[in-house]
Amino acid sequence: MTESFRREGEYPQHPQENSPAQPAPFGDDWQRGRDRLAQNAAYPPPPAYAPGWHEAHETQETHEAHAAHEAHELHGPPAGPAHAARAKRPVTLLAAVALVAALVGGGAAAGVEQFLGDKAPASAGGFPGTNVSQSSTGSVAGVAEQVSPSVVRIDTRTAQGTGTGSGIVLTADGEVVTNNHVVSGAAQIQVTMSDGKKYEAKLVGTDPGKDLALIKVQGASGLKPARLGDSDGLKVGEQVVAIGSPDRLTGTVTSGIVSALNREVNVPKSEERTPQNRQNRQGSGGGWPFSYDGQEFNGDTGSDTTSYKAIQTDASLNPGNSGGALVNLNGEIVGMPSAIYSPSSEGSTAGSVGLGFAIPVNTIKADLESLRSGSGGNGTGA
């Protein structure tokens, strides 16, 4: 058991009930006032509000009046003008600080209101927002993952040799669109899917005038069709992804931008041109000769050519990308790579220097019914 020791004078002493009353030295009124002050100091009444509430809500005049009243009770009347000036200095300083804080706070609030405009939240519960889309597209990796199963490799065998190109899956039962020059003159067509499965294919219809052809994969089902977009909505500088099989490298992905629109290029209707070009086609996919602005590139284009307005892109394209996919970041086909420029010497294989050309997808969509009918624009079906 602990004991509490009090020092003398620590707490006010109260007269005992039976002790004799002492006469007041300056009269009864003075004594009663003194006893009341002592009683208030020893036992303060509980505050009507939480501690600090009254002080936070009282005005400056109320604060000065309370201070003057307490000073008068404890110390008597003020000593003179000098004392009054010293007492008002802290109050003036507090008022100045409060004014500055109000101006700063008001400016910050106005800035936030101007920034948010009419969308400022009514409460401090946070800013309104929307969920971020979790779409698999919007990036090169997302586009490659989504579209690659819809792009195939096409290997052909002709009387002059072999060639490699690419194609785009249109239907689940095996319709594939490609360039006419990829399958022109082919006695055998083999299609390799992105998962490595191989199928034989038959030619359905060709349109050499637009360098387009339609083939049908035999015995395939459950293929993933590509989504065809709108090439008329393309803008210069828009990011695109190219997917194809350059030099038999199935499912190669490159990326770049749309460099220009409506480039009028001329390409041969067939890759069967000269013995030298046929030799270049062997195992290489050809050199993609074409002409632009009156000049021939990547070899002799011959006399039997066709022209179209192409999409120019700096996405890396190489022989074997012909007939593949040019895709926007929404995962939609916007073009079919069909020609490249390369400063190669005569007789050598062309390579990418960032100048590639693709047939707009709207041209492909407009020609699909003709290709399915086996007639095409200027060609014959098989």
Side-chain angles (χ1 to χ4, degrees), residues 7 24 104 116 132 229 251 272 288-289 308 320 335 349 358 362 376:
R7 291 174 292 185
V104 172
L116 294 177
V132 178
E272 299 179 18
W288 291 5
Y308 53 84
T349 302
N362 286 1

Side-chain angles (χ1 to χ4, degrees), residues 180 205-214 367 370-371 375-380:
N180 177 67
T206 64
D207 188 347
K210 295 178 181 175
D211 196 14
L212 294 174
L214 186 70
D367 205 34
S370 295
L371 293 172
S375 60
N378 298 315
T380 59

Side-chain angles (χ1 to χ4, degrees), residues 147 150-154 164-170 175-183 210-215 226 228 242-246 271 285 288 308 317-327 333 335-340 357-359 361 364:
V147 182
S150 303
V151 181
V152 301
R153 189 181 87 205
I154 299 176
T164 298
S166 304
I168 303 170
V169 176
L170 296 180
E175 279 191 349
V176 174
V177 66
T178 185
N179 283 136
N180 177 67
H181 72 257
V182 171
V183 295
K210 295 178 181 175
D211 196 14
L212 294 174
L214 186 70
I215 63 175
L228 304 184
I243 305 176
S245 302
E271 285 200 348
W288 291 5
Y308 53 84
L317 303 177
N318 288 283
N321 275 109
S322 274
L326 190 69
V327 194
I333 309 296
M336 175 185 290
S338 56
I340 59 171
F357 302 91
I359 299 173
V361 73
I364 300 172

Side-chain angles (χ1 to χ4, degrees), residues 221-236:
S221 62
L223 304 183
K224 183 178 181 180
R227 289 193 298 138
L228 304 184
D230 181 11
S231 52
D232 289 342
L234 281 176
K235 297 180 179 179
V236 175

Side-chain angles (χ1 to χ4, degrees), residues 60-320:
Q60 179 178 341
E61 291 79 3
T62 305
H63 179 76
E64 292 178 352
H66 288 177
H69 179 71
E70 292 177 359
H72 182 273
E73 286 190 350
L74 295 177
H75 304 290
H83 177 77
R86 285 195 302 271
K88 289 184 179 179
R89 244 184 244 118
V91 176
T92 304
L93 179 60
L94 288 175
V97 171
L99 178 60
V100 172
L103 291 175
V104 172
V112 171
E113 183 177 359
Q114 182 178 3
F115 177 77
L116 294 177
D118 296 335
K119 297 182 179 180
S123 64
F127 293 99
T130 57
N131 293 330
V132 178
S133 174
Q134 298 297 321
S135 172
S136 61
T137 55
S139 67
V140 175
V143 168
E145 182 181 2
Q146 178 178 342
V147 182
S148 289
S150 303
V151 181
V152 301
R153 189 181 87 205
I154 299 176
D155 295 299
T156 60
R157 185 178 296 277
T158 68
Q160 291 77 30
T162 61
T164 298
S166 304
I168 303 170
V169 176
L170 296 180
T171 63
D173 63 352
E175 279 191 349
V176 174
V177 66
T178 185
N179 283 136
N180 177 67
H181 72 257
V182 171
V183 295
S184 176
Q188 182 181 6
I189 303 174
Q190 184 183 71
V191 172
T192 303
M193 312 304 296
S194 62
D195 59 3
K197 293 181 180 180
K198 299 181 184 296
Y199 299 91
E200 295 297 317
K202 299 294 184 180
L203 187 63
V204 176
T206 64
D207 188 347
K210 295 178 181 175
D211 196 14
L212 294 174
L214 186 70
I215 63 175
K216 179 68 178 294
V217 178
Q218 303 297 296
S221 62
L223 304 183
K224 183 178 181 180
R227 289 193 298 138
L228 304 184
D230 181 11
S231 52
D232 289 342
L234 281 176
K235 297 180 179 179
V236 175
E238 183 175 343
Q239 190 170 4
V240 288
V241 178
I243 305 176
S245 302
D247 287 326
R248 299 175 60 87
L249 299 174
T250 307
T252 296
V253 177
T254 58
S255 66
I257 62 170
V258 174
S259 303
L261 297 169
N262 299 317
R263 293 290 199 204
E264 187 167 353
V265 298
N266 299 288
V267 297
K269 291 184 178 180
S270 171
E271 285 200 348
E272 299 179 18
R273 296 173 300 277
T274 65
Q276 187 175 30
N277 286 333
R278 286 197 295 269
Q279 182 180 2
N280 291 336
R281 177 185 172 134
Q282 181 74 24
S284 69
W288 291 5
F290 75 101
S291 62
Y292 172 71
D293 197 24
Q295 301 182 48
E296 292 186 345
F297 302 96
N298 304 344
D300 182 16
T301 58
S303 58
D304 192 12
T305 63
T306 184
S307 64
Y308 53 84
K309 293 187 182 298
I311 302 165
Q312 181 181 331
T313 178
D314 68 348
S316 180
L317 303 177
N318 288 283

